[in-house]
Amino acid sequence: MGYVTLRVLHGTDRGKIFGHLPTPVTIGREEGNSIQLNDERISRYHLKLQEDNDKIVLTDLESTNGTKVNGEDIQVRILRDGDMISVGRSLLLVGSHSDIDRRIGEIASKMAPSEEARARQMGERLQRMASNHSDVIEDVGEVRSPLLPSGPPPLPERLSPAQSAELSELLDYVQAVLREATEGAVMRPGNEKVEIDFAHWQALLDLQARLAELLRQIGDPA
């Protein structure tokens, strides 16, 4: 039996994490799906994820508005950690932090020595971020990158309603900028390159997922 983790980057369900779900998994807006998304542009039963020969296969269930993986319209597609699924107004990232770190390592092993070193450095940085509960890296100088100079700080404590709204607006803006950048890229099957190298690409997606989680915490502190 295969397992899959999905993180909602954008949409009404932004910030939700569906971790280590056993396949088959169905996604749609109707009750009875493994993942029910609150999105009027998603079909009642939109897509299905199933395991076949140790691979996770996505099949669009003849949905009205279709399904995209990494910016491409698809009917059937093998999924890998780090892939993006676009359905309706929702954007989902495949894989947990550790799943994506593992894929970066696998890709790095196939790269030229200089590319491998850069990818491994970013993979180690993401691992440190994922294992640090406060998301604050003590020695920022060792892991500084032009895209993500440090992990996000913890949320401020005892925010007033007005402060929460202001912080939400700020984070919303940052996420909108990131979403525009990620949705503008295309990653075709068998090609591990996008407009930036894969490790930095995943760092951007990881930041976007973290911001989505923080936004959800602000909106639902309970």
Side-chain angles (χ1 to χ4, degrees), residues 67-222:
T67 301
K68 291 184 177 181
V69 173
N70 299 327
E72 290 191 325
D73 292 309
I74 63 94
Q75 181 61 40
V76 178
R77 173 66 57 87
I78 294 174
L79 285 184
R80 298 171 177 84
D81 294 320
D83 283 349
M84 291 189 304
I85 303 172
S86 179
V87 287
R89 302 182 188 278
S90 301
L91 187 66
L92 294 81
L93 175 62
V94 180
S96 64
H97 301 297
S98 58
D99 291 335
I100 292 174
D101 285 348
R102 185 164 48 252
R103 188 182 176 199
I104 291 174
E106 292 171 354
I107 293 170
S109 66
K110 303 175 184 178
M111 291 179 173
S114 60
E115 292 179 314
E116 179 181 354
R118 287 196 299 270
R120 287 192 181 280
Q121 183 180 30
M122 181 58 67
E124 291 171 1
R125 182 182 185 286
L126 290 174
Q127 185 176 7
R128 288 179 63 186
M129 289 172 58
S131 62
N132 191 301
H133 296 299
S134 67
D135 286 330
V136 176
I137 305 301
E138 292 182 2
D139 191 352
V140 176
E142 290 186 359
V143 295
R144 183 174 298 278
S145 88
L147 293 176
L148 194 56
S150 66
L155 284 174
E157 297 181 358
R158 296 182 293 277
L159 288 174
S160 69
Q163 290 172 327
S164 294
E166 290 170 351
L167 183 57
S168 292
E169 288 181 359
L170 175 62
L171 295 180
D172 234 344
Y173 171 78
V174 173
Q175 199 201 30
V177 173
L178 292 173
R179 183 185 181 217
E180 182 177 356
T182 56
E183 288 191 338
V186 174
M187 186 168 64
R188 295 179 175 83
N191 185 356
E192 304 296 355
K193 291 288 185 179
V194 288
E195 293 184 0
I196 57 177
D197 68 64
F198 187 79
H200 288 93
W201 169 248
Q202 294 303 332
L204 279 173
L205 293 179
D206 186 71
L207 173 60
Q208 190 176 10
R210 289 176 183 271
L211 288 174
E213 294 166 22
L214 292 178
L215 283 166
R216 189 164 193 85
Q217 291 176 26
I218 292 171
D220 185 16

Side-chain angles (χ1 to χ4, degrees), residues 34-88:
S34 310
I35 297 176
Q36 183 184 11
L37 296 177
N38 185 19
D39 187 332
E40 72 278 4
R41 297 193 63 186
I42 292 177
S43 296
R44 294 170 60 243
Y45 295 92
H46 196 103
L47 63 86
K48 182 178 182 179
L49 307 177
Q50 57 190 339
E51 189 269 343
D52 184 49
N53 291 327
D54 296 325
K55 300 182 186 298
I56 301 298
V57 180
L58 182 154
T59 303
D60 182 90
L61 300 177
E62 299 183 356
S63 63
T64 301
N65 293 312
T67 301
K68 291 184 177 181
V69 173
N70 299 327
E72 290 191 325
D73 292 309
I74 63 94
Q75 181 61 40
V76 178
R77 173 66 57 87
I78 294 174
L79 285 184
R80 298 171 177 84
D81 294 320
D83 283 349
M84 291 189 304
I85 303 172
S86 179
V87 287

